[in-house]
Amino acid sequence: VDGKADPSQRRTTIYDLARIAGTSPSAVSSVLNGSWQKRRISRDLADRIKRVAEEQGYATNIQASLLRRTTSNIVGMIVPKYDNRYFGGIAEQFEALARQRGLFPVITCTQREPNLELEAAKELISYQVRCLIATGATDPDRITDLCAAAGVASINVDLPGTKAPSVISDNYAGGRDLTRLVLDRCTRDLDWTGPLVFVGGRASDHNTAERLRGFRDAHAERGIAVPNDHILVPGYSAEKAELALASVSPSGAALGLFVNSTISLEGVVRWIRSVVGPDVSNLRYGCFDWDPFAALLPGNVGMVQQDVPTMLGRAFELIEDGRTAAGTTLVPCVLRTL
Amino acid sequence: VDGKADPSQRRTTIYDLARIAGTSPSAVSSVLNGSWQKRRISRDLADRIKRVAEEQGYATNIQASLLRRTTSNIVGMIVPKYDNRYFGGIAEQFEALARQRGLFPVITCTQREPNLELEAAKELISYQVRCLIATGATDPDRITDLCAAAGVASINVDLPGTKAPSVISDNYAGGRDLTRLVLDRCTRDLDWTGPLVFVGGRASDHNTAERLRGFRDAHAERGIAVPNDHILVPGYSAEKAELALASVSPSGAALGLFVNSTISLEGVVRWIRSVVGPDVSNLRYGCFDWDPFAALLPGNVGMVQQDVPTMLGRAFELIEDGRTAAGTTLVPCVLRTL
DNA sequence: CTGAAAGCGCTTACAG
DNA sequence: CTGAAAGCGCTTACAG
């Protein structure tokens, strides 16, 4: 078993195993893929074959197996980044749920680049994925089109599309609840009623638009007007958030922020450090998405945790039910008060 | 292109394309896989075939292609978790480097479970990976054995093995430097000279042992004895770190900690909150691994960032050079002073 | 209870 | 410049 790794050597096949065990390739195949009970192969032969396979360090060539079978058990996922708890959690959950179902999960990370998303989708389709979950995709419908052409089911998660089922957070309610919390804390702690500054994300992005709607409604229900210059949506990156905040002058007065993602929060915190300084007693903010360390930062009064297990559970249900019609499932978020 | 996803429909093959384009499957195959220049197929025919493939939404069946070719371009990686910046960064870098080289990266996350690690390795081998990078594996040598039996090259990253090349951080120097920094800060800020408490990780774990060696040496060079009850190595989880700290009574006196990972840090911070309270002016600590939010926590004086790009770059070099002999490459860490 | 044979969709030497 | 044919390693209906 402890041979040198030598890619030139031909791997052991069922023919080798059959020769060694003194039987036929058919028998070996059915024993190793579990269909031998059905074929009423003797336990004796089955045991002998399994032993030989073990001894030879045999591993099935899945390419060959998949080629012959009509269906693969690979499920694919596209994810923008692994660099925050939200997407990291999505990747982990997806793997766990896929394995539970005997499926083989393949995840690919596309750096928020639309071209990479399409390339990755094509690649996964080439690997005969059974279905494809597009998470946080910038153009989910093009991915759905690609999948449809190949007869592959697709589901959108996190950001919705119009051509396949979508499972997303209730960003409106999440945005509204977080805004209410920050406004409450500003009133209680700073004796100041707002309006808050919204920072991070893109206006064209569905989730940002929904959270912004919640943000505006939470202000409106208290009769607070939100000036346009309080809405800073320059993109998700930390740098852009930090730059955008340059237009805000804290000037010693009270300040409240709605931070649209933990990615943006990194820039927000840098801005706080450099402009507001170490004393944040006049500052309160809340942030979308959960991060255990960010939850401990001074001034942070609440984070919105998206319910990843429920979202992915629902996505797998849709796959298993064979649902392909467009339609959006909203999953409530959890507001974690700090 | 916008058909319904229907797994029952047979996918378009090169035979369909050949029929439609009025040519042979061989021609289609070589045009689509790029070997047509070599075969001196006319640009005319090539263009016609490409157009038809596009129109039909054709995607190569990689299983079939791989079965015929002798070599796959899949590279596999095993990673324990996605829930921190270190492993998230490793996953992202691995994907990026693999793509740069025209390889298809498949990552699988094994939850620090030895059995899952072996299962995942077998599975990746079945998919004919060209090589396997085992990151933070609890039993790297068994994975190497499995790979060797299948003629697959393997490399260990993060935790070393004895049967394949390993690329790991210089944990000794990282541990020593971080200890020095925390001791310096304790002296400067608290007028207190130690010894520090080491918390998190397992004594049997290579990286923990090395960091601990650096921890002890940094104390020794200042003539400070480290009592055994100052070494808390109950495992990596936040819960275990928090529980282990129950034996430490801060009692208003100065306290300095060496936290062995950001995972453990979550428990440490919970302990600080509940036992030390909000006033951390008598507490200083440092932590292995980098997290942008953890870097902002009060009391944290430094973090050790492992150099993931260099580590993975080196791993790919080893793969490309065909190196299979055991041997460890140490990559320096970066101490980030806060 | 077991094996011979066809075929999955490609690739590539070989023969024009 | 192009095509017919063999074969990659499996699976599975079919025939004992």
Side-chain angles (χ1 to χ4, degrees):
Chain A
V1 174
D2 198 335
K4 276 274 162 289
D6 173 11
S8 70
Q9 97 196 11
R10 215 173 55 82
R11 293 203 190 157
T12 309
T13 70
I14 54 170
Y15 295 92
D16 302 320
L17 260 30
R19 197 168 24 74
I20 296 169
T23 180
S24 72
S26 325
V28 174
S29 171
S30 56
V31 167
L32 296 180
N33 70 27
S35 66
W36 62 281
Q37 313 264 23
K38 208 172 64 188
R39 302 193 77 213
R40 299 193 298 174
I41 283 174
S42 64
R43 178 165 300 280
D44 233 43
L45 178 56
D47 288 346
R48 194 163 81 242
I49 289 174
K50 284 176 187 167
R51 191 165 40 71
V52 172
E54 185 77 19
E55 283 167 10
Q56 302 294 315
Y58 173 81
T60 306
N61 180 331
I62 304 234
Q63 326 296 1
S65 167
L66 247 35
L67 181 58
R68 197 62 188 78
R69 295 178 191 274
T70 42
T71 167
S72 97
N73 61 346
I74 310 177
V75 287
M77 171 174 268
I78 285 175
V79 98
K81 299 281 285 176
Y82 293 123
D83 70 353
N84 62 71
R85 298 291 179 130
Y86 177 53
F87 289 123
I90 286 181
E92 253 188 68
Q93 274 290 320
F94 174 69
E95 287 205 6
L97 293 178
R99 274 186 220 290
Q100 268 175 26
R101 289 161 174 77
L103 301 169
F104 184 73
V106 175
I107 303 172
T108 189
C109 140
T110 52
Q111 310 285 352
R112 297 186 198 285
E113 288 191 32
N115 286 338
L116 248 182
E117 282 175 13
L118 288 174
E119 279 316 303
K122 274 187 200 164
E123 211 157 17
L124 289 169
I125 291 169
S126 289
Y127 281 95
Q128 313 296 102
V129 289
R130 208 189 250 191
C131 67
L132 181 57
I133 297 185
T135 306
T138 48
D139 194 350
D141 287 347
R142 286 199 59 192
I143 293 174
T144 304
D145 282 345
L146 272 175
C147 288
V152 170
S154 72
I155 307 270
N156 303 310
V157 166
D158 181 61
L159 278 174
T162 66
K163 296 184 166 186
S166 301
V167 182
I168 65 173
S169 285
D170 187 345
N171 290 289
Y172 169 74
R176 187 196 55 204
D177 295 349
L178 183 61
T179 307
R180 284 176 181 161
L181 175 67
V182 181
L183 283 170
D184 283 348
R185 291 302 180 87
C186 284
T187 307
R188 188 189 80 183
D189 300 346
L190 313 183
D191 194 23
W192 174 77
T193 56
L196 309 181
V197 172
F198 185 104
V199 56
R202 242 177 298 274
S204 59
D205 173 83
H206 172 276
N207 293 353
T208 296
E210 282 295 290
R211 292 171 195 174
L212 207 37
R213 198 162 63 82
F215 177 83
R216 290 186 191 280
D217 281 5
H219 280 81
E221 70 193 12
R222 301 182 183 206
I224 305 166
V226 179
N228 280 335
D229 66 0
H230 278 49
I231 309 296
L232 310 174
V233 283
Y236 280 99
S237 82
E239 290 66 34
K240 287 174 178 164
E242 189 175 1
L243 272 172
L245 282 167
S247 68
V248 177
S249 53
S251 68
L255 178 62
L257 301 172
F258 181 116
V259 186
N260 194 21
S261 79
T262 53
I263 309 291
S264 307
L265 182 58
E266 291 188 39
V268 171
V269 171
R270 279 207 296 266
W271 175 81
I272 293 174
R273 292 227 144 180
S274 66
V275 177
V276 180
D279 175 14
V280 295
S281 57
N282 266 329
L283 171 71
R284 293 293 179 274
Y285 64 86
C287 182
F288 225 93
D289 291 335
W290 170 253
D291 180 289
F293 293 123
L296 298 168
L297 298 179
N300 193 353
V301 299
M303 304 194 82
V304 177
Q305 184 167 33
Q306 301 191 56
D307 186 351
V308 169
T310 301
M311 287 167 78
L312 285 183
R314 188 82 192 96
F316 271 96
E317 280 173 24
L318 289 168
I319 292 164
E320 277 150 12
D321 296 353
R323 300 279 294 286
T324 57
T328 301
T329 305
L330 280 190
V331 175
C333 301
V334 178
L335 176 66
R336 296 183 62 162
T337 303
L338 304 174
Chain B
V1 175
D2 197 336
K4 277 274 162 289
D6 172 11
S8 71
Q9 95 194 9
R10 214 176 54 82
R11 293 203 190 158
T12 308
T13 70
I14 54 169
Y15 295 91
D16 302 319
L17 261 30
R19 196 167 26 72
I20 296 169
T23 180
S24 72
S26 324
V28 173
S29 171
S30 57
V31 167
L32 296 181
N33 71 28
S35 65
W36 62 281
Q37 314 263 25
K38 208 172 64 188
R39 302 193 77 213
R40 298 193 299 173
I41 283 175
S42 64
R43 179 166 299 279
D44 233 43
L45 178 57
D47 288 345
R48 195 162 81 242
I49 289 174
K50 284 178 188 166
R51 190 165 39 72
V52 172
E54 185 77 20
E55 283 167 9
Q56 302 294 316
Y58 174 80
T60 306
N61 181 330
I62 304 233
Q63 328 294 3
S65 166
L66 248 35
L67 181 56
R68 197 63 189 78
R69 296 178 190 275
T70 42
T71 166
S72 97
N73 61 346
I74 309 176
V75 286
M77 171 174 269
I78 284 174
V79 98
K81 300 281 285 177
Y82 293 124
D83 71 352
N84 63 70
R85 298 291 180 132
Y86 177 53
F87 289 123
I90 285 180
E92 254 188 67
Q93 273 291 320
F94 174 69
E95 286 206 5
L97 293 178
R99 273 186 219 291
Q100 268 176 25
R101 289 160 172 75
L103 302 168
F104 184 72
V106 175
I107 303 172
T108 190
C109 140
T110 52
Q111 310 287 348
R112 297 187 198 283
E113 288 191 32
N115 286 339
L116 248 182
E117 282 174 13
L118 288 174
E119 280 315 303
K122 274 187 201 165
E123 212 156 14
L124 289 169
I125 291 168
S126 290
Y127 282 95
Q128 313 294 103
V129 290
R130 208 188 251 192
C131 67
L132 181 57
I133 298 186
T135 307
T138 48
D139 194 351
D141 286 348
R142 286 200 58 193
I143 293 175
T144 303
D145 282 345
L146 273 176
C147 288
V152 169
S154 72
I155 307 271
N156 303 310
V157 167
D158 181 61
L159 279 175
T162 66
K163 296 185 165 186
S166 302
V167 182
I168 65 173
S169 285
D170 187 345
N171 291 289
Y172 169 75
R176 186 197 55 201
D177 295 349
L178 183 62
T179 307
R180 285 176 181 162
L181 174 67
V182 181
L183 284 171
D184 282 347
R185 291 302 180 86
C186 284
T187 307
R188 190 190 77 182
D189 301 346
L190 312 182
D191 194 23
W192 175 77
T193 55
L196 310 181
V197 173
F198 185 103
V199 57
R202 241 176 298 274
S204 59
D205 173 84
H206 173 275
N207 294 352
T208 296
E210 283 295 291
R211 293 171 195 172
L212 208 37
R213 198 162 62 83
F215 178 84
R216 290 186 191 280
D217 281 4
H219 279 82
E221 70 195 12
R222 301 180 184 209
I224 305 166
V226 179
N228 279 336
D229 66 0
H230 278 48
I231 309 295
L232 310 174
V233 283
Y236 281 100
S237 82
E239 290 66 35
K240 286 174 177 164
E242 189 176 1
L243 271 172
L245 283 167
S247 68
V248 177
S249 52
S251 68
L255 179 61
L257 300 172
F258 181 114
V259 185
N260 194 19
S261 78
T262 54
I263 309 290
S264 307
L265 182 59
E266 291 188 39
V268 171
V269 171
R270 280 207 296 267
W271 174 82
I272 292 174
R273 291 226 143 181
S274 68
V275 176
V276 180
D279 176 15
V280 295
S281 56
N282 266 329
L283 172 71
R284 293 292 180 273
Y285 63 87
C287 182
F288 225 94
D289 290 336
W290 170 252
D291 179 290
F293 293 123
L296 299 168
L297 297 178
N300 192 353
V301 299
M303 304 194 83
V304 177
Q305 184 167 32
Q306 301 190 58
D307 186 351
V308 169
T310 301
M311 287 166 78
L312 286 183
R314 189 81 192 96
F316 271 97
E317 279 172 24
L318 289 168
I319 292 164
E320 279 150 13
D321 296 352
R323 298 280 292 285
T324 57
T328 300
T329 304
L330 280 191
V331 176
C333 302
V334 178
L335 176 66
R336 296 183 61 162
T337 303
L338 304 174

